[in-house]
């Protein structure tokens, strides 16, 4: 079996890894240092994901597919396949429209920007530029992921319903929670120290300490920071207890069958090539085909690192393809369960045995024969009429010729008669 991390279907984890290569571009656009931009990106992603979950609660998956993923800004941005100045310029042009659509209110965008700016010691305007720019990028990336995975409205709703468990504190573990609390205490201590009057050297030391804190290895690790539930209150999202139910009929045939097999007979057939979700604390995912396909496409998409700084490629990359055998194939000789049996389709009927085809041919033949017979009849009638008219015309001409008398006079008779007349006159 081939295991895949459950976080591949987590929007928060996917966006965290996907947007890392464009850190420098966003920092330049918002005029922030790289450590500040990293903190602002983490907080902005949390705010955007929370706002998307709240949007789904209000409008459901069909509205997400049409009104968010189908926006003109997303379509325009999808024409770019790399991050560069042209891409970031288009992002900055559409950022306000996308942010207002996600947060459903421009006032919430300002409140979120204020909260983010307070965390990284920056202005609200700087935080707002980065937050709103990320809104466009997030919509673009999620729209591509949903399209490549061929998710319909119902599957989008199920996908969003799985997200709160990836944002819960239990998912990150106690160690991360303790380190976060310690980091917060250090941050409070630094803020308290800098609040008192200090010299220039103290200010420089404080800034260096802050930079080192912002560049903490934990902030740049593969695991995203702990989700701040403050964003639930700001965006109006109400987390519900969602217990994913396993489709036992589907799971029995494709996944549960491999449980209990020894390493000796496991490689038999294609069980070792089957794609399943790995175990993860506090995460429960149903082994459904569309979810596994989404996870695999997400994994392929992240491996391409498409948001790295680069010039636009001459040929756009092809959409990732996932083999159906990888997510549900089974070719060994073990008995198949009901869910494993392939759908048996009836053999196609030959054309000469198909009654519909025969009826069509018969109707066409009869109509053709009738048309031919009618055409021949019309030709024969026309020929008879033409012959009758010709006969009548010939009869009329003969009648006129019989009424005309033709008299022929010989030349000798004419001359004799002339001489006789002359001699009579002389006498």
């Amino acid at each position: 079996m081939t295991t895949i991390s459950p976080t591949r279907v987590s929007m928060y984890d996917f966006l965290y890894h996907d947007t890392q290569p464009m850190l420098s571009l966003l920092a330049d656009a918002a005029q922030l240092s790289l450590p500040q931009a990293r903190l602002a990106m983490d907080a902005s992603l949390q705010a955007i994901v929370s706002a998307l979950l709240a949007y789904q609660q209000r409008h459901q998956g069909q509205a997400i597919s049409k009104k968010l993923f189908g926006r003109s800004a997303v379509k325009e941005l999808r024409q770019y396949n790399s991050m560069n100045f042209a891409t970031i310029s288009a992002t900055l042009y559409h950022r306000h429209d996308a942010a207002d659509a996600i947060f459903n209110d421009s006032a919430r965008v300002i409140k979120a920007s204020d909260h983010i700016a307070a965390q990284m010691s920056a202005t609200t305007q700087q935080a707002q530029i980065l937050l709103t720019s990320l809104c466009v990028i997030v919509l673009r990336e999620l729209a591509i992921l949903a399209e490549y995975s061929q998710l319909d409205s119902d599957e989008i709703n199920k996908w969003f319903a799985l997200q709160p468990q990836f944002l819960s504190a239990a998912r990150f573990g106690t160690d991360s929670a303790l380190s976060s609390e310690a980091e917060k205490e250090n941050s409070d201590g630094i803020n308290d120290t800098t609040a008192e009057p200090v010299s220039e050297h103290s200010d420089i030391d404080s800034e260096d300490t802050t930079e080192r804190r912002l560049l903490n290895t934990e902030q740049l690790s593969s695991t995203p920071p702990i989700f701040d539930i403050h964003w639930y209150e700001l965006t109006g999202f109400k987390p519900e207890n969602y217990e994913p139910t396993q489709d036992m009929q589907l799971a029995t045939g494709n996944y549960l069958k491999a449980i209990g097999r020894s390493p000796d007979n496991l490689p038999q057939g294609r069980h070792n090539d089957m794609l399943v979700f790995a175990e993860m604390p506090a995460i429960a995912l149903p082994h459904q085909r569309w979810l596994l396909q989404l996870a695999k496409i997400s994994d392929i998409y992240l491996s391409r690192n498409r948001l790295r700084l680069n010039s636009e490629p001459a040929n756009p990359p092809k959409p990732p393809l996932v083999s159906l055998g990888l997510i549900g194939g089974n070719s060994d000789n073990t008995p198949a369960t009901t869910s494993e049996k392939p759908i048996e389709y009836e053999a196609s009927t030959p054309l000469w045995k198909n009654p519909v085809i025969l009826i069509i041919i018969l109707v066409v033949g009869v109509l053709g024969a009738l048309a031919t017979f009618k055409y021949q009849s019309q030709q024969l009638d026309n020929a008879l009429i033409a012959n009758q008219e010709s006969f009548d015309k010939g009869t009329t001409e003969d009648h006129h010729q019989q009424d005309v008398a033709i008299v022929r006079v010989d030349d000798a008779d004419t001359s004799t008669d002339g001489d006789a007349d002359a001699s009579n006159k002389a006498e």
Side-chain angles (χ1 to χ4, degrees):
M1 290 184 299
T2 303
T3 59
I4 191 168
S5 173
T7 57
R8 285 296 181 254
V9 297
S10 168
M11 295 181 186
Y12 181 42
D13 291 73
F14 170 78
L15 294 171
Y16 175 78
H17 294 290
D18 188 42
T19 56
Q20 280 188 1
M22 57 179 301
L23 173 64
S24 58
L25 273 179
L26 290 177
D28 182 71
Q31 298 182 353
L32 296 170
S33 64
L34 290 180
Q36 285 178 318
R38 179 70 265 174
L39 277 183
M41 284 183 65
D42 294 342
S44 297
L45 287 177
Q46 294 182 10
I48 295 171
V49 169
S50 179
L52 284 174
L53 295 180
Y55 188 96
Q56 186 269 340
Q57 274 190 342
R58 292 190 296 266
H59 306 290
Q60 299 304 311
Q62 188 173 5
I64 291 177
S65 178
K66 293 183 178 180
K67 296 184 178 181
L68 290 185
F69 295 166
R71 300 186 74 84
S72 59
V74 177
K75 294 179 180 179
E76 179 180 346
L77 210 65
R78 289 186 60 176
Q79 298 177 1
Y80 302 94
N81 297 284
S82 293
M83 290 303 301
N84 45 51
F85 289 112
T87 314
I88 201 67
S89 297
T91 302
L92 294 174
Y93 179 79
H94 295 287
R95 62 188 181 91
H96 290 294
D97 177 64
D100 292 343
I102 293 177
F103 285 89
N104 222 22
D105 187 6
S106 58
R108 289 179 178 173
V109 178
I110 298 176
K111 290 182 180 179
S113 302
D114 291 337
H115 186 74
I116 296 171
Q119 293 181 355
M120 61 177 184
S121 302
T123 64
T124 302
Q125 181 64 23
Q126 290 174 315
Q128 186 175 2
I129 292 175
L130 193 142
L131 172 64
T132 53
S133 300
L134 268 181
C135 287
V136 187
I137 300 297
V138 166
L139 288 183
R140 171 188 183 267
E141 297 302 288
L142 294 182
I144 293 175
L145 195 59
E147 180 181 341
Y148 286 172
S149 304
Q150 300 178 357
L151 302 184
D152 56 21
S153 300
D154 183 59
E155 291 167 347
I156 288 178
N157 284 328
K158 294 179 180 178
W159 183 29
F160 273 75
L162 294 171
Q163 300 308 309
Q165 61 181 331
F166 291 103
L167 310 178
S168 62
R171 174 246 162 144
F172 295 95
T174 56
D175 295 337
S176 299
L178 292 176
S179 61
S180 177
E181 292 178 359
E183 183 181 350
K184 185 177 180 180
E185 291 178 358
N186 294 334
S187 176
D188 294 339
I190 293 173
N191 292 335
D192 294 341
T193 304
T194 55
E196 298 177 358
V198 291
S199 61
E200 293 181 359
H201 295 288
S202 299
D203 293 338
I204 295 176
D205 294 339
S206 177
E207 291 178 0
D208 292 340
T209 305
T210 304
E211 292 291 329
R212 286 195 299 270
R213 177 179 63 83
L214 296 179
L215 284 174
N216 193 312
T217 56
E218 183 183 353
Q219 296 291 338
L220 302 178
S221 64
S222 59
T223 303
I226 297 177
F227 190 85
D228 186 3
I229 60 174
H230 164 78
W231 299 114
Y232 288 167
E233 301 176 2
L234 189 143
T235 58
F237 174 67
K238 299 178 181 179
E240 300 174 355
N241 294 328
Y242 177 78
E243 296 293 338
T245 57
Q246 182 111 321
D247 187 351
M248 295 307 298
Q249 184 180 4
L250 180 64
T252 301
N254 297 332
Y255 309 101
L256 297 184
K257 191 175 175 184
I259 296 177
R261 294 196 171 208
S262 64
D264 297 334
N265 59 11
L266 183 60
Q268 297 178 0
R270 293 176 58 189
H271 288 295
N272 56 329
D273 296 332
M274 205 177 303
L275 187 66
V276 296
F277 286 115
E279 294 292 334
M280 186 174 179
I283 299 297
L285 295 177
H287 289 281
Q288 294 183 358
R289 181 182 296 271
W290 68 270
L291 196 60
L292 286 168
Q293 184 171 347
L294 172 65
K296 187 59 181 178
I297 290 178
S298 173
D299 186 67
I300 296 174
Y301 193 84
L302 289 176
S303 65
R304 292 181 176 181
N305 200 18
R306 289 183 62 182
L307 293 187
R308 64 183 181 274
L309 302 181
N310 198 2
S311 59
E312 188 68 18
N315 299 319
K318 296 181 180 179
L321 299 177
V322 179
S323 173
L324 295 179
L326 184 64
I327 60 177
N330 183 20
S331 61
D332 60 357
N333 297 323
T334 52
T337 60
T338 304
S339 62
E340 273 187 302
K341 292 181 180 179
I343 300 175
E344 298 180 357
Y345 298 95
E346 295 181 358
S348 58
T349 307
L351 294 178
W352 58 275
K353 286 186 177 182
N354 194 326
V356 178
I357 300 296
L358 294 177
I359 292 174
I360 293 176
I361 294 176
L362 180 61
V363 170
V364 172
V366 171
L367 293 177
L370 291 175
T372 304
F373 177 75
K374 184 177 181 180
Y375 175 77
Q376 294 294 338
S377 300
Q378 290 179 351
Q379 292 294 329
L380 182 60
D381 294 341
N382 293 335
L384 292 175
I385 294 173
N387 292 334
Q388 183 66 31
E389 292 177 354
S390 177
F391 177 77
D392 295 341
K393 184 178 181 181
T395 304
T396 305
E397 290 179 355
D398 293 340
H399 179 70
H400 288 295
Q401 288 177 358
Q402 292 175 0
D403 293 341
V404 176
I406 300 174
V407 179
R408 181 176 180 180
V409 180
D410 294 335
D411 295 337
D413 295 338
T414 305
S415 61
T416 304
D417 294 339
D419 293 339
D421 293 337
S423 59
N424 291 331
K425 289 181 182 181
E427 291 178 357

